[in-house]
Amino acid sequence: MTNMILTINQTQGLCPEVGGSPGRAPGPHPSLHACLQVCGAGPRGPSSHSFFFFQIPDVTSVCESDASCTAGSAGTHSNGVSTGRCVPFNGSVKTCEVAAWCPVEDDTHVPQPAFLKATENFTLLVKNNIWYPKFNFSKRNILPNITTTYLKSCTYDAKTDPFCPIFRLGKIVENAGHSFQDMAVEGGIMGIQVNWDCNLDRAASLCLPRYSFRRLDTRDVDHNVSPGYNFRFAKYYKDLAGNEQRTLIKAYGIRFDIIVFGKVARATGSPPSLPQGTRGLSLPPREHAGKFDVIPTMINIGSGLALLGMVSGLAPAFTLTMR
């Protein structure tokens, strides 16, 4: 979790519905939660036009009378169940009343910078075990030569510590070509790729994991509806009078998916299989692991010699027939 929006001391009751549509109106407004932003700057300094940006009710919630509200209805974006009453939202706008946890959440403005921006210094330990059942070969990314002392002090670096399984979160995002502080505001999804490129005819110590990183969620400026990664949860408690209350938390964070690459194929060309016992996501593997086997090799040699013997017998017969 890197950022959050808190709605504290909610109680179950009746309150006017709101939506997530941002609006603006010229001049100050006495009854709306607004933030002042000075717009434009000319050669003589800031423009004289000031605008207040605020949250206004969704068009589906705005009403003029009780006839506009359907009792018992609940839309996909509503915060509760409609009571059928049209009540004032502010001095000039009315919305349908809902039975909900009040006051309802206002997630129009996401805090910037992120509340927990220091999480970029947190570290992540990745444990990955692979198993090739056809060759009865298994290995894990914490290599045999890694000691407890080294594990307590190392941090992954592609040049100095390429096999350290402990990763700094800020470095993961940076290696993927993004800014952790920008990503922390609305969250996102990162992929940690573990690539096993092995030749099992060689020593097992040469079968080593290779790490790479990429951002998985789309970050398109022109198509940026519902960006990032977030989820909600609540903390429930009672006040001094025994009334139930809660604090609703909309949390933004960065999810890390572990993606393991690898497959194994015999020298005889038998169908490849994925390594088993891995954790995280599995994508179509790109690398191959093979191992020499004397029995398939002898079978192939014998088949080749048999074909040569057939050729030596068929060649004279074929030549005589053509004559």
XYZ file of all heavy atoms in Angstrom, residues 46-108:
455
model
N -0.803 36.208 -13.396
C -1.934 35.299 -13.383
C -3.209 35.952 -13.882
O -3.433 37.144 -13.702
C -2.049 34.907 -11.895
C -0.714 35.201 -11.315
C -0.197 36.376 -12.073
N -4.028 35.132 -14.522
C -5.306 35.619 -15.007
C -6.222 35.964 -13.842
O -6.094 35.435 -12.746
C -5.962 34.538 -15.888
O -7.298 34.875 -16.176
N -7.194 36.834 -14.083
C -8.116 37.255 -13.035
C -9.256 36.268 -12.837
O -10.091 36.469 -11.963
C -8.691 38.634 -13.381
O -9.383 38.579 -14.622
N -9.320 35.214 -13.663
C -10.400 34.243 -13.551
C -9.965 33.099 -12.645
O -8.988 32.415 -12.917
C -10.775 33.688 -14.933
C -11.274 34.749 -15.860
N -12.530 35.298 -15.760
C -10.664 35.371 -16.899
C -12.697 36.204 -16.706
N -11.568 36.270 -17.417
N -10.694 32.899 -11.579
C -10.409 31.815 -10.651
C -11.544 30.806 -10.682
O -12.708 31.171 -10.817
C -10.239 32.355 -9.223
O -9.156 33.246 -9.167
N -11.194 29.524 -10.552
C -12.195 28.473 -10.598
C -12.037 27.591 -9.374
O -10.923 27.329 -8.919
C -12.037 27.617 -11.870
C -12.322 28.372 -13.132
C -11.314 29.066 -13.771
C -13.590 28.388 -13.667
C -11.566 29.765 -14.929
C -13.855 29.081 -14.833
C -12.839 29.777 -15.478
N -13.165 27.098 -8.881
C -13.160 26.140 -7.785
C -13.499 24.775 -8.356
O -14.527 24.599 -9.020
C -14.205 26.534 -6.717
C -13.776 27.696 -5.874
C -13.969 29.001 -6.297
C -13.155 27.480 -4.660
C -13.564 30.067 -5.523
C -12.746 28.548 -3.876
C -12.954 29.838 -4.302
N -12.629 23.803 -8.087
C -12.871 22.448 -8.543
C -13.473 21.664 -7.384
O -12.938 21.688 -6.285
C -11.567 21.793 -9.013
C -11.066 22.369 -10.301
C -10.377 23.570 -10.328
C -11.316 21.723 -11.490
C -9.929 24.103 -11.517
C -10.858 22.245 -12.680
C -10.162 23.443 -12.704
N -14.565 20.973 -7.639
C -15.246 20.300 -6.554
C -15.950 19.058 -7.071
O -16.087 18.847 -8.271
C -16.269 21.238 -5.894
C -17.254 21.828 -6.867
C -18.413 21.153 -7.191
C -16.999 23.059 -7.462
C -19.307 21.690 -8.092
C -17.898 23.589 -8.362
C -19.056 22.914 -8.677
N -16.439 18.251 -6.146
C -17.206 17.075 -6.500
C -18.667 17.445 -6.574
O -19.200 18.057 -5.653
C -17.015 15.966 -5.468
C -17.751 14.687 -5.846
C -17.718 13.681 -4.722
O -17.753 14.060 -3.574
N -17.637 12.416 -5.058
N -19.313 17.131 -7.690
C -20.742 17.353 -7.813
C -21.435 16.010 -7.934
O -20.807 15.006 -8.305
C -21.072 18.227 -9.037
C -20.690 17.500 -10.330
C -20.402 19.578 -8.938
C -21.146 18.221 -11.583
N -22.719 15.936 -7.626
C -23.421 14.657 -7.720
C -23.438 14.132 -9.141
O -23.450 14.888 -10.108
C -24.834 14.995 -7.224
C -24.686 16.271 -6.462
C -23.568 17.004 -7.110
N -23.476 12.831 -9.271
C -23.618 12.212 -10.571
C -24.992 12.555 -11.136
O -25.966 12.724 -10.393
C -23.447 10.697 -10.446
C -23.355 10.034 -11.797
O -22.240 9.941 -12.329
O -24.398 9.603 -12.310
N -25.062 12.642 -12.467
C -26.331 13.036 -13.098
C -27.449 12.061 -12.765
O -28.623 12.427 -12.746
C -26.155 13.148 -14.628
C -25.275 14.324 -14.977
C -25.588 11.861 -15.215
N -27.116 10.806 -12.501
C -28.146 9.823 -12.168
C -28.680 10.004 -10.759
O -29.695 9.408 -10.392
C -27.579 8.395 -12.315
O -26.442 8.252 -11.447
C -27.142 8.133 -13.741
N -27.979 10.805 -9.934
C -28.403 11.025 -8.554
C -29.154 12.333 -8.358
O -29.853 12.501 -7.361
C -27.185 11.001 -7.613
O -26.474 9.787 -7.725
N -28.984 13.265 -9.285
C -29.640 14.564 -9.162
C -31.145 14.407 -9.360
O -31.602 13.652 -10.222
C -29.061 15.557 -10.178
C -29.807 16.890 -10.127
C -27.581 15.774 -9.933
N -31.915 15.112 -8.551
C -33.371 15.005 -8.630
C -33.985 16.381 -8.408
O -33.332 17.321 -7.956
C -33.897 14.010 -7.598
S -33.485 14.462 -5.887
N -35.280 16.482 -8.742
C -36.038 17.708 -8.507
C -37.136 17.498 -7.483
O -37.538 18.428 -6.791
C -36.625 18.218 -9.823
C -35.564 18.649 -10.837
C -36.194 19.190 -12.110
O -37.444 19.148 -12.214
O -35.437 19.638 -12.998
N -37.640 16.255 -7.412
C -38.689 15.923 -6.460
C -38.585 14.445 -6.117
O -37.797 13.688 -6.714
C -40.070 16.243 -7.046
O -40.315 15.416 -8.174
N -39.415 14.005 -5.172
C -39.400 12.593 -4.773
C -39.757 11.675 -5.925
O -39.371 10.501 -5.931
C -40.376 12.371 -3.613
C -39.913 13.063 -2.333
O -38.754 13.521 -2.306
O -40.716 13.141 -1.380
N -40.483 12.205 -6.911
C -40.883 11.381 -8.052
C -39.685 10.936 -8.877
O -39.764 9.951 -9.620
C -41.870 12.154 -8.926
N -38.576 11.665 -8.756
C -37.370 11.314 -9.528
C -36.570 10.193 -8.880
O -35.640 9.666 -9.495
C -36.477 12.546 -9.686
O -37.177 13.614 -10.286
N -36.896 9.829 -7.647
C -36.139 8.816 -6.907
C -36.979 7.555 -6.740
O -38.152 7.628 -6.347
C -35.719 9.351 -5.539
S -34.754 10.884 -5.622
N -36.373 6.413 -7.028
C -37.063 5.132 -6.911
C -36.655 4.453 -5.619
O -35.473 4.120 -5.433
C -36.735 4.221 -8.108
O -37.061 4.894 -9.321
C -37.501 2.914 -8.020
N -37.593 4.270 -4.729
C -37.297 3.653 -3.437
C -36.837 2.209 -3.622
O -37.398 1.450 -4.426
C -38.531 3.693 -2.534
N -35.775 1.845 -2.911
C -35.260 0.476 -2.961
C -34.274 0.209 -4.073
O -33.715 -0.882 -4.156
N -34.013 1.192 -4.931
C -33.082 0.983 -6.041
C -31.654 1.267 -5.596
O -31.415 2.035 -4.664
C -33.451 1.894 -7.220
O -33.285 3.256 -6.860
N -30.722 0.649 -6.287
C -29.294 0.848 -6.008
C -28.532 0.670 -7.309
O -28.510 -0.427 -7.870
C -28.794 -0.133 -4.957
N -27.932 1.751 -7.781
C -27.167 1.680 -9.017
C -25.797 1.061 -8.797
O -25.359 0.822 -7.666
N -25.121 0.794 -9.909
C -23.803 0.156 -9.819
C -22.770 1.053 -9.151
O -21.790 0.573 -8.583
C -23.313 -0.222 -11.227
O -23.320 0.954 -12.050
C -24.209 -1.279 -11.845
N -22.979 2.371 -9.195
C -22.027 3.307 -8.601
C -22.597 4.026 -7.381
O -21.992 4.980 -6.887
C -21.587 4.341 -9.643
C -20.895 3.749 -10.824
N -19.630 3.205 -10.760
C -21.298 3.584 -12.108
C -19.273 2.747 -11.949
N -20.271 2.968 -12.775
N -23.747 3.594 -6.913
C -24.347 4.251 -5.756
C -23.677 3.778 -4.475
O -23.064 2.708 -4.421
C -25.848 3.965 -5.705
O -26.091 2.577 -5.543
N -23.829 4.580 -3.444
C -23.228 4.265 -2.153
C -24.182 3.566 -1.203
O -23.780 3.195 -0.096
C -22.719 5.557 -1.496
C -21.536 6.150 -2.234
O -20.414 5.688 -2.108
N -21.795 7.182 -3.016
N -25.437 3.425 -1.601
C -26.414 2.779 -0.736
C -27.719 2.536 -1.463
O -27.786 2.608 -2.695
N -28.777 2.274 -0.698
C -30.099 1.978 -1.251
C -30.957 3.235 -1.151
O -31.046 3.869 -0.089
C -30.765 0.814 -0.492
C -32.146 0.518 -1.065
C -29.884 -0.437 -0.558
N -31.590 3.596 -2.244
C -32.396 4.807 -2.287
C -33.628 4.675 -1.398
O -34.286 3.636 -1.357
C -32.822 5.104 -3.728
O -33.697 6.218 -3.779
N -33.938 5.764 -0.682
C -35.130 5.791 0.179
C -36.340 6.329 -0.569
O -37.460 6.297 -0.036
C -34.877 6.671 1.406
O -34.653 8.024 0.984
C -33.673 6.169 2.187
N -36.138 6.875 -1.768
C -37.239 7.438 -2.522
C -37.470 8.914 -2.248
O -38.400 9.507 -2.804
N -36.634 9.521 -1.431
C -36.785 10.932 -1.100
C -35.734 11.762 -1.830
O -34.596 11.325 -2.027
C -36.650 11.155 0.403
C -37.705 10.465 1.242
C -37.457 10.718 2.710
N -37.406 12.166 2.987
C -36.638 12.706 3.924
N -35.818 11.934 4.646
N -36.659 14.016 4.132
N -36.114 12.973 -2.208
C -35.203 13.930 -2.836
C -34.840 14.966 -1.787
O -35.713 15.709 -1.295
C -35.891 14.574 -4.039
S -34.836 15.687 -5.001
N -33.573 15.029 -1.416
C -33.141 15.895 -0.316
C -32.048 16.835 -0.807
O -31.374 16.562 -1.801
C -32.625 15.053 0.873
C -33.746 14.172 1.439
C -31.437 14.189 0.450
N -31.848 17.972 -0.110
C -30.804 18.922 -0.536
C -29.398 18.327 -0.381
O -29.054 17.767 0.651
C -31.003 20.110 0.412
C -32.393 19.977 0.925
C -32.665 18.502 0.992
N -28.617 18.467 -1.446
C -27.202 18.114 -1.394
C -26.385 19.332 -0.971
O -25.419 19.232 -0.231
C -26.744 17.609 -2.765
C -25.263 17.339 -2.851
C -24.717 16.203 -2.303
C -24.418 18.249 -3.486
C -23.349 15.964 -2.379
C -23.057 18.009 -3.565
C -22.521 16.868 -3.007
N -26.801 20.479 -1.475
C -26.243 21.765 -1.073
C -27.318 22.825 -1.305
O -28.490 22.487 -1.495
C -24.950 22.077 -1.832
C -25.141 22.011 -3.336
O -26.003 22.687 -3.889
N -24.338 21.199 -3.999
N -26.947 24.082 -1.327
C -27.933 25.137 -1.447
C -28.664 25.183 -2.762
O -29.742 25.773 -2.857
N -28.109 24.568 -3.811
C -28.714 24.690 -5.134
C -29.016 23.348 -5.800
O -29.690 23.325 -6.829
C -27.804 25.512 -6.051
O -26.525 24.898 -6.160
N -28.519 22.265 -5.265
C -28.675 20.960 -5.904
C -29.315 19.984 -4.926
O -29.009 19.977 -3.732
C -27.308 20.412 -6.380
C -27.461 19.036 -7.004
C -26.669 21.370 -7.370
N -30.221 19.143 -5.466
C -30.827 18.079 -4.686
C -30.430 16.732 -5.272
O -30.262 16.593 -6.483
C -32.353 18.203 -4.690
C -32.901 19.388 -3.918
C -34.418 19.362 -3.919
C -34.987 20.505 -3.088
N -36.482 20.463 -3.058
N -30.291 15.753 -4.405
C -29.994 14.389 -4.852
C -30.892 13.415 -4.104
O -31.492 13.751 -3.077
C -28.528 14.003 -4.594
O -28.277 14.042 -3.180
C -27.576 14.949 -5.314
N -30.963 12.187 -4.627
C -31.770 11.158 -3.987
C -31.096 10.726 -2.682
O -29.872 10.538 -2.631
C -31.929 9.954 -4.913
S -32.865 10.308 -6.422
N -31.876 10.554 -1.671
C -31.361 10.120 -0.372
C -31.112 8.616 -0.387
O -31.875 7.852 -0.988
C -32.362 10.473 0.716
C -31.881 10.168 2.127
C -32.940 10.492 3.163
O -34.037 9.895 3.076
O -32.675 11.333 4.036
N -30.048 8.182 0.279
C -29.713 6.757 0.345
C -29.498 6.341 1.792
O -29.108 7.151 2.643
C -28.443 6.432 -0.475
C -28.686 6.593 -1.959
C -27.262 7.295 -0.019
N -29.805 5.091 2.044
C -29.462 4.481 3.328
C -28.098 3.841 3.154
O -27.938 2.891 2.383
C -30.513 3.434 3.719
N -27.109 4.382 3.854
C -25.733 3.958 3.611
C -24.885 4.286 4.826
O -25.380 4.750 5.855
C -25.183 4.655 2.370
N -23.579 4.000 4.670
C -22.609 4.470 5.659
C -22.321 5.934 5.343
O -21.833 6.266 4.262
C -21.330 3.645 5.584
C -21.467 2.261 6.164
C -21.778 1.123 5.494
C -21.267 1.900 7.531
N -21.791 0.052 6.355
C -21.477 0.490 7.620
C -20.943 2.593 8.692
C -21.365 -0.207 8.811
C -20.831 1.895 9.884
C -21.045 0.508 9.942
N -22.650 6.806 6.279
C -22.549 8.246 6.067
C -21.468 8.850 6.969
O -21.300 8.405 8.110
C -23.894 8.908 6.356
S -25.260 8.262 5.346
N -20.779 9.900 6.502
C -20.850 10.475 5.150
C -20.234 9.535 4.116
O -19.329 8.763 4.427
C -20.037 11.756 5.283
C -19.044 11.452 6.367
C -19.775 10.575 7.348
N -20.734 9.610 2.874
C -20.239 8.717 1.830
C -18.847 9.145 1.394
O -18.412 10.278 1.631
C -21.202 8.696 0.627
C -22.542 8.116 1.026
C -21.359 10.083 0.049
N -18.165 8.236 0.758
C -16.773 8.472 0.351
C -16.677 9.502 -0.772
O -17.493 9.521 -1.694
C -16.153 7.152 -0.121
C -14.707 7.259 -0.572
C -14.204 5.975 -1.202
O -14.694 5.612 -2.293
O -13.334 5.324 -0.597
N -15.672 10.339 -0.697
C -15.329 11.294 -1.757
C -13.913 10.972 -2.225
O -12.935 11.294 -1.556
C -15.417 12.730 -1.240
C -14.999 13.760 -2.295
O -14.733 13.360 -3.440
O -14.935 14.955 -1.964
N -13.818 10.281 -3.365
C -12.495 9.881 -3.877
C -12.119 10.657 -5.128
O -11.347 10.173 -5.965
C -12.462 8.375 -4.153
C -13.472 7.949 -5.211
O -14.317 8.780 -5.600
O -13.426 6.778 -5.649
N -12.680 11.873 -5.247
C -12.391 12.691 -6.427
C -10.924 13.075 -6.503
O -10.309 13.048 -7.563
C -13.250 13.964 -6.422
O -14.618 13.601 -6.269
C -13.064 14.755 -7.708
